[in-house]
Amino acid sequence: MTQAPATPKNGRRRHDREIIALAVPAFGALVAEPLFVMVDSAVVGHLGTPQLAGLGIAAALLMTAVSIFVFLAYATTAAVARRVGAGDLPAAIRQGMDGIWLALLLGAAVVALAMPTAPWLVDAFGASDTAAPYAITYLRISILGIPAMLVVLAATGVLRGLQDTRTPLYVAIAGFTANAVLNVTLVYGAGLGIAGSAWGTVIAQAGMAAAYLVVVIRGARKHGASLRPDAAGIRASARAGVPLLIRTLSLRAVLMIATAVAARLGDVDIAAHQIILSLWSLTAFALDAIAIAGQAIIGRYLGADDEKGAREACRRMVEWGIGCGVVLGVLIVLARPLFIPLFTSDPSVKDTLLPALLVVAVSQPIAGVVFVLDGVLMGAGDGRYLAWAMLVTLAVFAPAALLVPSLGGGLTALWWAMTLMMAVRLITLWLRTRSGRWIVTGATR
């Protein structure tokens, strides 16, 4: 019996199946992450306003610290996927272990630096006298969970590189459930107050890290990969992570500048901005799930010396990015009467919010392509270009955003500046992918 010849339609279907198999569980895991803070907020909120304010400050500091090290997941995904594509699973898992060891070292360094400086950090964040003690208590306990959080990032990257996004979803669901139970038990049952919430989160994070390590260690033993720390491998993981760290810091700077400008526009504008930013972050989870699929798939194709497969997968994922962006934009417009009342009943905030929200809706297709191409270049290990591209984007966005108040613009003008930022990212990423310079085949870049 002769096999049916490959056709473009069959190729698209194959890529679609791969994207869906990786992106859907990845989206679930991404959504589960912010639920940790939501559970803590819901539990601690019933203790009192100062406690909730303290939690908000500490959580913001913790999430900022952890987000800086998200390169542990990105760089590890690309490196492991390449070796999977090359058919060398022992080397893939060995590479993943190097990333995990790097996470432990960075986690220990963060604990050593942050523990004694916790009061200063809380004070620098502008905590009130009533909220500061609770913020310091929560922060000092939660800092102990940072090594586990970084291990989770690196181990998630290992499994994504191994083309497994289901296990991270299951671990995220288990961690969220454990965190909710522990928070209620320790805060109210044991009467530990905000400290109980912090300990509950730390224990849940440690459990997640342990679950990941069990999975990775089993894989290492099955394929005969060493678990010992390798100095050269750890240094290589760190070098691969530096450009992605620069990229992440530049992106964080964009968001901080936008928030600072919105604050200068007035209370109504900053309130509306925070609502839009929350929605923007939610849509980013959906688009980032496709980007994660891109990291794993592109890395695997390049590792297998399949340049054609990498190009076809990139093209198909761009189509997915455009399609998802259009759908998200339409949903934002259609669903605005439903979700806006959930956030505010202030007519002034609503009036300020609506036109800026339409700008966000229009920009979603652009964002869809940007997220996808970002994931493609990450999967290719093209971190150095991503760092330079994001620095260029920051250099264009910063003056445009800072001019908004002086030119009499409002929140809508600020979000047009945010759209400009995404457009610059689109141009820089599109030029790189079109050039083909990102395509470097083999088990290593």
Side-chain angles (χ1 to χ4, degrees):
M1 183 177 179
T2 58
Q3 186 176 2
T7 65
K9 186 175 181 179
N10 290 336
R12 287 195 297 271
R13 286 177 177 174
R14 184 181 73 253
H15 292 312
D16 289 346
R17 287 194 296 269
E18 287 185 329
I19 293 168
I20 291 171
L22 291 170
V24 172
F27 175 70
L30 289 170
V31 170
E33 291 173 7
L35 293 179
F36 269 75
V37 177
M38 290 180 63
V39 168
D40 288 7
S41 299
V43 173
V44 172
H46 291 286
L47 295 175
T49 300
Q51 289 91 332
L52 184 59
L55 170 65
I57 293 166
L61 288 167
L62 287 165
M63 294 310 297
T64 299
V66 173
S67 67
I68 289 173
F69 296 107
V70 73
F71 70 83
L72 289 167
Y74 295 157
T76 305
T77 297
V80 171
R82 275 185 175 270
R83 286 160 176 78
V84 169
D88 193 349
L89 284 177
I93 296 173
R94 173 67 264 174
Q95 180 72 42
M97 285 304 305
D98 292 335
I100 290 173
W101 280 112
L102 176 62
L104 285 170
L105 291 173
L106 291 173
V110 172
V111 171
L113 289 172
M115 190 66 75
T117 59
W120 179 84
L121 291 170
V122 169
D123 183 63
F125 217 78
S128 67
D129 292 340
T130 54
Y134 297 109
I136 294 169
T137 297
Y138 189 93
L139 185 60
R140 276 186 164 159
I141 296 171
S142 296
I143 284 169
L144 298 174
I146 286 180
M149 295 170 75
L150 299 191
V151 166
V152 167
L153 284 176
T156 299
V158 175
L159 295 180
R160 288 174 181 170
L162 293 171
Q163 317 297 296
D164 176 12
T165 55
R166 289 183 179 272
T167 299
L169 172 61
Y170 299 148
V171 173
I173 292 173
F176 165 73
T177 303
N179 181 56
V181 173
L182 286 167
N183 262 263
V184 173
T185 302
L186 296 176
V187 171
Y188 299 117
L192 297 179
I194 195 170
S197 177
W199 279 116
T201 302
V202 168
I203 295 169
Q205 290 162 347
M208 292 173 66
Y212 275 119
L213 290 175
V214 167
V215 173
V216 174
I217 290 171
R218 282 179 179 172
R221 289 176 175 171
K222 179 180 178 180
H223 296 285
S226 174
L227 296 172
R228 295 180 179 178
D230 177 65
I234 294 172
R235 284 196 298 271
S237 295
R239 283 195 300 271
V242 168
L244 295 179
L245 173 62
I246 294 171
R247 168 202 167 275
T248 300
L249 290 174
S250 300
L251 184 56
R252 295 293 300 183
V254 165
L255 298 177
M256 289 176 65
I257 290 171
T259 300
V261 170
R264 289 176 61 188
L265 295 174
D267 290 347
V268 170
D269 291 87
I270 187 62
H273 176 75
Q274 286 304 112
I275 294 171
I276 295 176
L277 200 59
S278 299
L279 181 65
W280 192 73
S281 299
L282 182 61
T283 61
F285 285 136
L287 299 175
D288 202 27
I290 305 174
I292 288 169
Q295 294 170 32
I297 293 170
I298 294 297
R300 192 189 74 233
Y301 275 119
L302 294 178
D305 295 322
D306 189 352
E307 179 179 335
K308 181 182 177 183
R311 287 184 181 275
E312 290 177 349
C314 175
R315 190 178 303 113
R316 188 56 177 162
M317 281 183 283
V318 167
E319 293 171 357
W320 269 77
I322 295 171
C324 289
V326 170
V327 170
L328 289 171
V330 172
L331 285 176
I332 289 172
V333 173
L334 295 180
R336 69 188 190 280
L338 299 176
F339 65 77
I340 290 178
L342 296 176
F343 290 98
T344 182
S345 57
D346 188 330
S348 299
V349 175
K350 289 181 179 181
D351 291 342
T352 303
L353 178 66
L354 282 172
L357 198 60
L358 293 177
V359 175
V360 174
V362 169
S363 68
Q364 286 305 296
I366 298 174
V369 179
V370 167
F371 273 80
V372 166
L373 294 182
D374 209 36
V376 166
L377 296 184
M378 282 185 190
D382 203 7
R384 183 172 297 179
Y385 182 84
L386 288 171
W388 282 110
M390 198 61 226
L391 287 172
V392 169
T393 301
L394 176 60
V396 173
F397 169 77
L402 293 173
L403 280 172
V404 168
S406 59
L407 294 178
L411 188 66
T412 302
L414 175 60
W415 275 94
W416 276 120
M418 288 288 285
T419 303
L420 171 65
M421 178 271 295
M422 295 301 290
V424 174
R425 291 187 70 191
L426 174 62
I427 292 169
T428 56
L429 297 176
W430 178 77
L431 289 174
R432 184 63 167 183
T433 51
R434 187 178 181 183
S435 73
R437 294 178 183 175
W438 58 279
I439 298 177
V440 178
T441 59
T444 58
R445 182 177 174 87

